[in-house]
Amino acid sequence: MIAIALQIAAIAIALALLLNGWRLYRGPALADRILALDTMVINVIAVIVVIGMMGGNDTNFEAALLLAMVGFVSTIAYCKFLLRGDIVE
């Protein structure tokens, strides 16, 4: 039963990644592309967690945590660059 739920979750996350890729490609503004990229990072974290649950591997959860930290910092850097034009002051 849990295997079926994990497969459905993987399909839903893959669909979300495709839609985020579309928004990243078609985004009319730079802010839309930044938000799509941030959402893609969140979806990739979900994929890593689902794969870890399917395989029973604990290392995937650590990788997801590291990706979450890097994704947060990169989103802040992109937004700061968008607002100020410079990352380091």
Side-chain angles (χ1 to χ4, degrees):
M1 189 67 175
I2 191 77
I4 295 171
L6 288 173
Q7 289 175 354
I8 292 171
I11 291 169
I13 295 168
L15 179 64
L17 275 169
L18 286 174
L19 293 173
N20 285 326
W22 176 254
R23 177 50 55 195
L24 186 65
Y25 177 71
R26 291 284 297 184
L30 186 58
D32 293 327
R33 290 189 170 108
I34 291 172
L35 286 173
L37 193 62
D38 185 46
T39 308
M40 285 181 85
V41 168
I42 293 169
N43 287 330
V44 168
I45 291 168
V47 166
I48 292 171
V49 169
V50 168
I51 289 172
M53 290 175 71
M54 284 180 178
N57 192 357
D58 293 339
T59 310
N60 290 5
F61 299 109
E62 294 173 5
L65 182 63
L66 290 173
L67 184 61
M69 290 188 291
V70 170
F72 174 74
V73 171
S74 65
T75 301
I76 297 300
Y78 286 146
C79 290
K80 189 174 179 182
F81 178 73
L82 179 65
L83 290 174
R84 297 185 185 168
D86 191 18
I87 296 174
V88 179
E89 295 176 355

